[in-house]
Amino acid sequence: MSIEQQISRKQRPPFHDRTKEAIEHPFLQKAVRYTQDRLRGGKKRAEAEIGNWEEWRLKAEAIRRHTVEHLDVYLDQFTTNVENAGGTVHFADTSQEVLDLVTQIVRKKEARSIVKSKSMVSEEVDLNHVMEQQGVEVVESDLGEYIVQLADEAPSHIIVPAIHKNRQEITRLFSKEAGKLLSEETAELTAFARKRMREKFLQADIGITGCNFGVAESGSVVLVTNEGNARMSTTLPDTHIVVMGMERIAPRWRDLDVLLTMLTRSATGQKITSYVTALTGPRREGEADGPKEMHVIVVDNGRSSMLGTGYQDVLHCIRCGACINVCPVYRQIGGHAYGGVYPGPIGAVLTPLLEGFEGWTELPYASSLCGACTDACPVRIPLHERLLDLRADEVETKQTPWSERLAFKGFGVLAEHPEWFEKAAVMGHWMGKPLADQEGFLQKGPGPLKGWTDSRDLPIPAKTSFRKWWRKEGKQDG
Amino acid sequence: MQVALFITCLSDVFYPSVGMSVVRVLRRLGVEVDFPTEQTCCGQPAFNSGYRQDAAKAAKQMIRAFEGYDAVITPSGSCAAMVRKEYPHLLNDDSEWKERAQSLADRCYEFSEFLVSRLSLEMIDARLEGKATYHHSCHMYRGLRLTEPPLQVLSQVQGLEVVNLPYHEDCCGFGGTFAVKMSEISQEMADEKIQHLESTEADYLIGSDMSCLMHLGGRIRRKEKSVEIMHVAQVLDRGMMK
């Protein structure tokens, strides 16, 4: 973790404050719900249209499982083939190493400006800010990323970075950047962004992209976009840097076929995105365009710690965002409240795994365990089960408060003693009664019940429990 | 057939009338019901909070309590899912307990599921006038894939119009300790669910999990709105009384 990240982490308000802020935001929920509905609706239609969706999921899961199980072999093959095609491969264990590698290339090229195509891994290492501190201009070329960059924010969704922004806000941001008042018309706003982008593409010394898939058998980097910005970022600047997560490998082109089929349908409901770009090495002799140099930085940054553990399947993720689009928690709070780079269910699982529990103990609990994420995942990662595993890990490593540990100890004892269990319920009734209204509901609960009664009435335990009724009447009636 | 009622701790303590309805309905349908008093809680609160050792204690207690019964019926999709999907994993380390856990898992039925799969729906002779909508609980809907049985049961009730709840596959925001730990988010989820509920103009909100209904009902009461909340078993019980 870079020093800047450490500082920003300390400044990050606690989870509950972030949540509150999101809920109180005047239009965040409306914007998020609208786009979530559009995306999940699109996915449903795409599933029906292709047919046999469950079979496709099984196929995709098998490919991801096989790939991650043999990641060393495929990374080796990928590296060899990138280098055979004239590219250079670097391996970065930590985010600092990623930053060092990029900095080295920037200095060697005496680069002054960078254009970027969408990359979540670059968010992990906070690349933009670090480059800007070194006096290098960085411009995001994905429209959504550009919007959040102008707002000096982080993406709040992995494929729809500006999901939380509405038209008025975007108009304000663009007008400020343009130095004149723009209208709220889509055509005028996109025309501005397009013109601005063209200038930046032509100026840039380096293009930085992520990598949706690296095809091992050919050493190709595959980029999936709807705006063509990845093509511009990789053909105009002299140097192309790819920042890829180490697990982002597809062994063969035929595997890529299945994975792309699942990625675009799961992400936006599209059969295919407007642009799918495969780049194999830099410009070759006699070719008219493409970068003179291509560097591929393969990033670990905590990923390898999942290998060989019960969390290995989290590495199967293809970053489609389908889990985010169906998540009822994300629906209420958007992405920033999660606080990490990756929001939603995948973020709640991934962030503590990549960075450890410190600062992230709430995330595994930021889920109602409804399982919608697990059903939505195109590669069948049981996300809600991994959240449960993380909770168990928190308990095991004593991250949870002592009062809670004590309470569940007590629960375990009561659960083994039906007669004590019954007495506790009776006690609950008599303790609750003086605090309850005439119909037996608490409006303001004491102690730990406050969390419930802040928003809901709570019935007190019934005077006659079921088991009491059973002994007195129920049993005989039969 | 030796049938046992698995009441769930929540219904035992807070909603005994749901248990009474289950007993009465089953008896009217000719099923002999027993209630093993050794049962306590399925252990889900501990399990879902990460306290697996404490949850395992509850699981063993329940497995002991229900040994020897041909079928174990519970008016909760969520608790049925805990027994069926989690017990065998939870007690994975001990082959003897794992086997006993699997045996209970195989004998455990959610209430509507039991009616549909083990009895004949035509046996149900019930009438309740009004408009209702049904809340699918996540653990029953996605966990056990029991989407149709409660609706099939309700379709037998004459006079009852059951309308679709928009976004019925979405969570209501209960989520066990989530409702307390993340109460602000939970409240937003409840409010969205209540908006959809209101759009149906239903008189009754019917469900198969009193936990969701305690949460939604508590919020509905706080907001001083009027819709009657019932478990499927209560609908049948009331509808069968003539």
Side-chain angles (χ1 to χ4, degrees), chain A residues 49-105:
Chain A
E49 191 257 351
I50 194 172
N52 307 322
W53 184 250
E54 290 308 312
E55 282 171 37
W56 279 98
R57 286 178 83 203
L58 286 167
K59 229 189 267 183
E61 179 194 11
I63 291 171
R64 289 302 293 154
R65 185 175 304 284
H66 172 84
T67 308
V68 172
E69 272 171 6
H70 302 90
L71 196 56
D72 51 344
V73 176
Y74 289 120
L75 270 174
D76 189 47
Q77 189 189 9
F78 176 72
T79 305
T80 305
N81 287 326
V82 171
E83 292 183 340
N84 284 345
T88 311
V89 180
H90 312 262
F91 286 86
D93 286 344
T94 61
S95 59
Q96 192 57 54
E97 283 182 35
V98 178
L99 294 170
D100 291 346
L101 283 164
V102 176
T103 305
Q104 275 168 28
I105 298 167

Side-chain angles (χ1 to χ4, degrees), chain A residues 188-228:
Chain A
E188 187 169 342
L189 294 173
T190 50
F192 163 74
R194 184 186 165 88
K195 186 161 175 290
R196 176 57 50 99
M197 263 342 131
R198 301 271 144 160
E199 294 160 13
K200 301 294 176 189
F201 284 132
L202 289 166
Q203 272 172 18
D205 303 305
I206 295 178
I208 298 183
T209 68
C211 170
N212 289 99
F213 297 104
V215 183
E217 70 176 349
S218 62
S220 309
V221 169
V222 177
L223 299 165
V224 178
T225 76
N226 271 317
E227 295 163 26

Side-chain angles (χ1 to χ4, degrees), chain A residues 37 404 415 455-457 467, chain B residues 12 39-40 51 167 179 222:
Chain A
D37 283 353
E404 187 185 288
S455 48
R456 290 148 293 210
D457 292 354
R467 64 183 67 222
Chain B
D12 184 10
Q39 63 182 288
T40 54
Y51 295 83
Y167 291 81
R222 177 65 55 89

Side-chain angles (χ1 to χ4, degrees), chain A residues 44-277:
Chain A
K44 263 190 190 165
R45 280 190 295 278
E47 285 174 9
E49 191 257 351
I50 194 172
N52 307 322
W53 184 250
E54 290 308 312
E55 282 171 37
W56 279 98
R57 286 178 83 203
L58 286 167
K59 229 189 267 183
E61 179 194 11
I63 291 171
R64 289 302 293 154
R65 185 175 304 284
H66 172 84
T67 308
V68 172
E69 272 171 6
H70 302 90
L71 196 56
D72 51 344
V73 176
Y74 289 120
L75 270 174
D76 189 47
Q77 189 189 9
F78 176 72
T79 305
T80 305
N81 287 326
V82 171
E83 292 183 340
N84 284 345
T88 311
V89 180
H90 312 262
F91 286 86
D93 286 344
T94 61
S95 59
Q96 192 57 54
E97 283 182 35
V98 178
L99 294 170
D100 291 346
L101 283 164
V102 176
T103 305
Q104 275 168 28
I105 298 167
V106 164
R107 292 210 180 126
K108 203 170 137 211
K109 296 286 146 199
E110 295 177 357
R112 294 170 61 189
S113 81
I114 294 172
V115 280
K116 270 183 72 201
S117 175
K118 222 179 133 10
S119 154
M120 290 308 292
V121 181
S122 74
E123 296 291 335
E124 280 178 40
V125 306
D126 200 19
L127 187 65
N128 294 9
H129 288 119
V130 176
M131 286 300 120
E132 281 162 5
Q133 277 157 15
Q134 298 182 15
V136 183
E137 184 194 43
V138 184
V139 180
E140 291 286 352
S141 64
D142 172 274
L143 188 59
E145 289 282 350
Y146 183 58
I147 294 166
V148 293
Q149 190 186 24
L150 288 180
D152 196 22
E153 291 175 6
S156 72
H157 187 294
I158 64 173
I159 60 153
V160 198
I163 188 173
H164 59 291
K165 292 273 183 248
N166 68 6
R167 182 181 294 272
Q168 288 73 30
E169 240 188 324
I170 294 164
T171 307
R172 243 192 326 273
L173 289 166
F174 279 18
S175 297
K176 195 175 158 208
E177 185 64 15
K180 63 173 185 189
L181 196 64
L182 301 175
S183 81
E184 287 181 8
E185 292 301 314
T186 306
E188 187 169 342
L189 294 173
T190 50
F192 163 74
R194 184 186 165 88
K195 186 161 175 290
R196 176 57 50 99
M197 263 342 131
R198 301 271 144 160
E199 294 160 13
K200 301 294 176 189
F201 284 132
L202 289 166
Q203 272 172 18
D205 303 305
I206 295 178
I208 298 183
T209 68
C211 170
N212 289 99
F213 297 104
V215 183
E217 70 176 349
S218 62
S220 309
V221 169
V222 177
L223 299 165
V224 178
T225 76
N226 271 317
E227 295 163 26
N229 56 313
R231 288 195 180 171
M232 301 291 260
S233 306
T234 55
T235 45
L236 292 171
D238 272 349
T239 305
H240 175 201
I241 303 176
V242 181
V243 187
M244 69 180 275
M246 64 184 283
E247 79 285 18
R248 222 122 294 284
I249 293 281
R252 301 165 300 178
W253 284 88
R254 53 189 290 190
D255 302 318
L256 180 78
D257 177 21
V258 176
L259 297 175
L260 277 179
T261 295
M262 302 307 277
L263 175 63
T264 61
R265 283 175 176 81
S266 302
T268 55
Q270 287 171 287
K271 282 186 207 164
I272 191 159
T273 49
S274 310
Y275 300 89
V276 175
T277 308

Side-chain angles (χ1 to χ4, degrees), chain B residues 113-236:
Chain B
E113 179 191 25
F114 181 80
L115 297 192
V116 169
S117 64
R118 300 293 295 268
L119 302 177
S120 165
L121 280 181
E122 282 82 64
M123 291 164 71
I124 297 171
D125 180 16
R127 169 172 285 278
L128 184 69
E129 299 292 334
K131 191 172 175 181
T133 193
Y134 181 79
H135 169 62
H136 287 282
S137 49
C138 301
H139 292 173
M140 186 157 159
Y141 188 83
R142 272 179 288 273
L144 297 176
R145 309 272 175 214
L146 292 175
T147 54
E148 290 307 310
L151 298 174
Q152 285 171 289
V153 169
L154 292 176
S155 73
Q156 295 298 308
V157 181
Q158 294 159 46
L160 191 68
E161 183 198 357
V162 182
V163 296
N164 179 50
L165 181 62
Y167 291 81
H168 63 253
E169 70 273 33
D170 284 11
C171 177
C172 67
F174 170 67
T177 49
F178 173 82
V180 178
K181 284 192 179 186
M182 302 278 163
S183 65
E184 305 95 336
I185 306 172
S186 171
Q187 174 184 320
E188 294 299 307
M189 288 162 75
D191 284 350
E192 196 184 356
K193 186 62 78 182
I194 292 167
Q195 264 177 32
H196 298 315
L197 168 64
E198 287 187 312
S199 76
T200 67
E201 298 180 345
D203 311 307
Y204 306 106
L205 173 64
I206 302 171
S208 297
D209 267 292
M210 290 318 292
S211 48
C212 305
L213 297 181
M214 179 158 114
H215 158 73
L216 286 174
R219 185 68 185 155
I220 287 168
R221 193 172 186 273
R222 177 65 55 89
K223 296 179 94 166
E224 298 177 353
K225 294 184 186 293
S226 65
V227 55
E228 191 174 352
I229 286 163
M230 295 173 90
H231 189 278
V232 175
Q234 290 175 307
V235 174
L236 293 187

